[in-house]
């Protein structure tokens, strides 16, 4: 077998062109075989089919580039949950823009490693300019805002707690029960006290409970607010939270992984009023920014706030190289080798501009409101609330949580729709997280019809009868009535040490 060609250099594009054509054909063919938002049959069908199509993964003799690409890409596509399908709307799982995916191909071909300047000369400059520009969107009046690229919201939130620990020692974190699970996990990873959780009875942080907690807890304190929760998409009252932090001498971090890109929409930017008052902000452009994962950001109002991330490795950032003017990149991340994710983000921003990105955001949020309208007009469905961003919770009228969960799994197993699940007001809801700007009113009506028809199917099935329990031999006993435990009434008092959702 001849030595396989490389992707880089002047010969790389010629080698890539036919391979890319094979990949594009396989993407098309796999999607046609799937013919829906995800493969039908569930894990019992998808797993063996994928294994049959892709094994052996390490043959004694290779099958060749085109065969391997065709077979594996087709199998992966046929078995994919496709966020580009309008009925794939369970999670913050965005359909990436074609131009962003194309830019990601260039990043893969060039393969700059963002841990030293001599591996990424132009990419280092592009990343520095992009992070400064994005940080300035969050902190428009700060003299020297900056940001670092992350793998997503989880890493960015971990950086927030890490830097707070470096400033203050074992800082106590406070967050609402609506906070992302990464906050509690970051505290655990960093050896910090478990976060104190305050209630969010209406889906957003309760201000009175936060005030009480800040009054009685010892400093140092870090409050984490959320701009776009994963369950309902709601936004905490950022300005009021910042006021309480200022009153009590606490610092504020805002997890705006979901809602942060609303900054680019003049129509919806007011939802983020107060964002600039945070000591740090998490942003995720592989959510409401239509980027291939990953495309996270951790932003601060002053560049020197990132100084604790500095790390010295002589083979990557020797002192004399730095003194001679070579940029030191190790302080730009906790990772060493990392991809130039700035490229796809920069290409998208430049191609669309502010108006183009605002149009995508406005379209997507309008689509969510249209779905809410359809649900309201459907007598057999209940709407949880009007969407804040693009998350819509709903459930069939008069059903219990078991039916809602069964309905969701039935839609998944049939390959008809990918809907999420969320608990709110003590009940389980179907969750539609709409991120596809190409979704039409007809797509939404078709989704409503699917849910309605499947609900009828699920609720008309006979309930499974439990197997009879054999009666043991021996003396006859008098049956005892089963003990029924009444669910506890949810409390709204401050709890310490609970793990956020």
């Amino acid at each position: 077998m001849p030595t396989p060609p490389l992707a880089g250099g002047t010969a790389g594009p010629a080698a890539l062109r036919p391979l890319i054509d094979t990949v594009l054909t396989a993407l098309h063919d796999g999607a046609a075989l799937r013919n829906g938002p995800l493969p039908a049959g569930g894990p019992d069908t998808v797993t063996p089919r994928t294994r049959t199509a892709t094994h052996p993964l390490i043959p004694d003799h290779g099958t060749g580039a085109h065969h391997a690409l065709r077979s594996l890409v087709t199998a992966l596509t046929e078995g994919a949950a496709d966020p580009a399908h309008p009925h794939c709307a369970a999670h913050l799982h965005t359909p990436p823009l074609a131009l962003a995916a194309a830019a990601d191909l260039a990043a893969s071909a060039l393969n700059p490693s963002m841990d030293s300047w001599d591996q990424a000369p132009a990419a280092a400059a592009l990343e520095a300019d992009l992070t400064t520009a994005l940080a300035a969107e969050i902190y428009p009046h700060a003299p020297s805002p900056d940001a670092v690229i992350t793998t997503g919201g989880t890493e960015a939130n971990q950086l927030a707690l890490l830097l707070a620990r470096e400033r203050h020692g074992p800082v106590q974190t406070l967050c609402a029960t609506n906070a992302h699970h990464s906050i509690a996990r970051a505290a655990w990873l960093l050896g910090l006290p478990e976060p104190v959780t305050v209630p969010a009875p209406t889906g957003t942080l309760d201000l009175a409970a936060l005030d009480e907690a800040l009054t009685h807890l010892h400093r140092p304190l870090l409050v984490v607010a959320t701009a776009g929760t994963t369950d309902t998409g709601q936004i905490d009252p950022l300005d009021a939270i910042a006021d309480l932090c200022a009153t009590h001498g606490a610092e504020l971090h805002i997890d705006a992984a979901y809602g942060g890109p609303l900054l680019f929409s003049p129509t919806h930017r007011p939802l983020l009023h107060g964002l600039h008052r945070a000591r740090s902000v998490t942003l995720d452009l592989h959510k409401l920014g239509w980027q291939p994962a990953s495309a996270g950001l951790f932003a601060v109002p002053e560049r020197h706030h990132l100084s604790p991330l500095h790390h010295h490795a002589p083979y990557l950032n020797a002192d004399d190289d730095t003194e001679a003017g070579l940029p030191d990149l190790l302080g730009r991340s906790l990772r060493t080798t990392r991809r130039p994710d700035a490229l796809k983000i920069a290409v998208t921003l430049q191609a669309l501009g502010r108006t183009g990105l605002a149009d995508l955001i406005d379209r997507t949020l309008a689509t969510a409101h249209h779905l809410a309208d359809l649900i309201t007009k459907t007598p057999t469905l209940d709407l949880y609330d009007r969407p804040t961003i693009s998350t819509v919770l709903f459930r069939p009228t008069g059903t219990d949580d078991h039916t809602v969960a069964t309905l969701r799994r039935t839609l998944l197993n049939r390959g008809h729709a990918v809907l999420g699940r969320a608990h709110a007001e003590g009940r389980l809801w179907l969750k539609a997280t709409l991120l596809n700007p190409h979704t039409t009113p007809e797509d939404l009506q078709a989704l409503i019809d699917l849910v309605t028809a499947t609900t009828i199917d699920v609720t008309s099935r006979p309930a499974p009868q439990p197997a009879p329990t054999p009666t043991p031999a021996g003396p006859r006993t008098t049956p005892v009535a089963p003990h029924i435990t009444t669910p506890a009434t949810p409390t709204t008092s401050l709890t310490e040490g609970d793990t956020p959702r």
Side-chain angles (χ1 to χ4, degrees):
M1 179 179 288
T3 303
L6 302 177
T10 57
L16 279 171
R17 193 165 280 113
L19 297 173
I20 291 171
D21 189 60
T22 297
V23 167
L24 296 177
T25 300
L27 286 170
H28 172 274
D29 293 348
L33 289 168
R34 184 184 65 245
N35 192 31
L38 82 165
D44 291 343
T45 298
V46 176
T47 300
R49 184 173 65 212
T50 303
R51 285 176 175 162
T52 298
T54 60
H55 278 49
L57 290 174
I58 309 178
D60 290 334
H61 302 286
T63 60
H66 289 278
H67 181 277
L69 282 169
R70 185 166 53 250
S71 59
L72 270 73
V73 174
T74 300
L76 196 68
T77 308
E78 183 183 1
D82 183 5
H85 193 286
H87 296 165
C88 187
H91 305 286
L92 288 164
H93 179 200
T94 194
L97 297 173
L99 68 94
D104 227 17
L105 169 64
S108 293
L110 293 168
N111 204 32
S113 183
M114 304 299 298
D115 51 306
S116 67
W117 185 87
D118 57 0
Q119 298 176 86
L126 178 65
E127 180 181 89
D129 289 350
L130 177 73
T131 51
T132 300
L134 288 173
E137 295 292 324
I138 297 169
Y139 299 107
H141 307 298
S144 59
D146 201 1
V148 293
I149 302 288
T150 69
T151 53
T154 294
E155 183 187 349
N157 287 336
Q158 184 179 344
L159 285 174
L161 271 66
L162 171 65
L163 293 180
R165 187 192 71 179
E166 293 305 293
R167 289 190 297 272
H168 304 297
V171 63
Q172 175 65 67
T173 304
L174 298 90
C175 60
T177 53
N178 66 1
H180 193 263
H181 62 84
S182 61
I183 303 302
R185 198 172 195 191
W188 170 69
L189 284 169
L190 295 166
L192 295 173
E194 287 187 57
V196 172
T197 58
V198 299
T202 63
T204 58
L205 185 148
D206 184 278
L207 293 171
L210 178 62
D211 190 18
E212 179 186 352
L214 291 172
T215 299
H216 292 99
L217 289 170
H218 297 294
R219 301 176 186 175
L221 302 172
L222 175 70
V223 175
V224 178
T226 307
T229 62
T230 52
D231 269 359
T232 63
Q234 290 173 274
I235 297 174
D236 285 336
L238 305 182
D239 243 348
I241 292 171
D243 288 342
L244 286 175
C245 289
T247 298
H248 291 281
E251 290 186 350
L252 174 62
H253 169 68
I254 297 178
D255 177 2
Y258 179 13
L262 297 177
L263 284 171
F264 290 100
S265 165
T267 302
H268 299 289
R269 186 185 298 127
L271 291 170
L272 298 177
H273 195 267
L275 185 70
H276 68 285
R277 300 177 65 184
R279 176 80 184 215
S280 55
V281 171
T282 288
L283 186 70
D284 227 350
L285 290 167
H286 59 249
K287 292 182 171 65
L288 201 63
W290 298 280
Q291 298 300 295
S294 55
L297 197 83
F298 174 75
V300 292
E302 301 294 338
R303 183 169 291 116
H304 68 84
H305 291 175
L306 298 172
S307 297
L309 298 180
H310 174 74
H311 180 66
H312 189 241
Y315 76 103
L316 293 172
N317 58 348
D319 289 339
D320 57 322
D321 280 347
T322 303
E323 291 166 4
L326 295 184
D328 180 353
L329 304 186
L330 275 188
R332 305 295 299 173
S333 177
L334 293 178
R335 294 170 284 150
T336 304
T337 302
R338 58 188 179 89
R339 302 180 76 250
D341 289 317
L343 175 60
K344 61 196 175 193
I345 301 171
V347 166
T348 301
L349 294 174
Q350 190 171 96
L352 300 181
R354 294 179 186 278
T355 56
L357 196 56
D359 179 65
L360 287 179
I361 292 167
D362 294 347
R363 253 177 218 273
T364 301
L365 271 63
T367 299
H369 280 275
H370 187 75
L371 177 60
D373 291 338
L374 289 177
I375 293 167
T376 301
K377 294 174 184 176
T378 304
T380 56
L381 295 177
D382 294 337
L383 177 69
Y384 169 69
D385 201 358
R386 302 296 301 178
T388 302
I389 306 179
S390 64
T391 300
V392 182
L393 301 190
F394 65 105
R395 56 181 283 147
T397 303
T399 55
D400 58 17
D401 287 358
H402 173 74
T403 300
V404 173
T406 302
L407 168 62
R408 175 182 175 272
R409 287 190 293 270
T410 301
L411 290 166
L412 287 174
N413 287 329
R414 293 177 178 178
H416 289 169
V418 190
L419 293 173
R421 52 187 291 162
H423 279 91
E425 294 184 343
R427 296 192 293 171
L428 182 66
W429 301 77
L430 298 173
K431 178 175 71 170
T433 309
L434 300 175
L435 292 171
N436 187 341
H438 290 275
T439 299
T440 66
E442 291 74 23
D443 294 327
L444 297 177
Q445 185 61 59
L447 178 62
I448 293 294
D449 294 342
L450 267 173
V451 170
T452 302
T454 309
T455 301
I456 294 171
D457 190 15
V458 167
T459 54
S460 64
R461 296 177 194 166
Q465 298 299 315
T469 303
T471 303
R476 187 173 180 178
T477 58
T478 302
V480 178
H483 175 68
I484 300 174
T485 303
T486 304
T489 303
T491 179
T492 57
S493 62
L494 173 69
T495 58
E496 181 168 350
D498 287 351
T499 302
R501 174 191 51 73

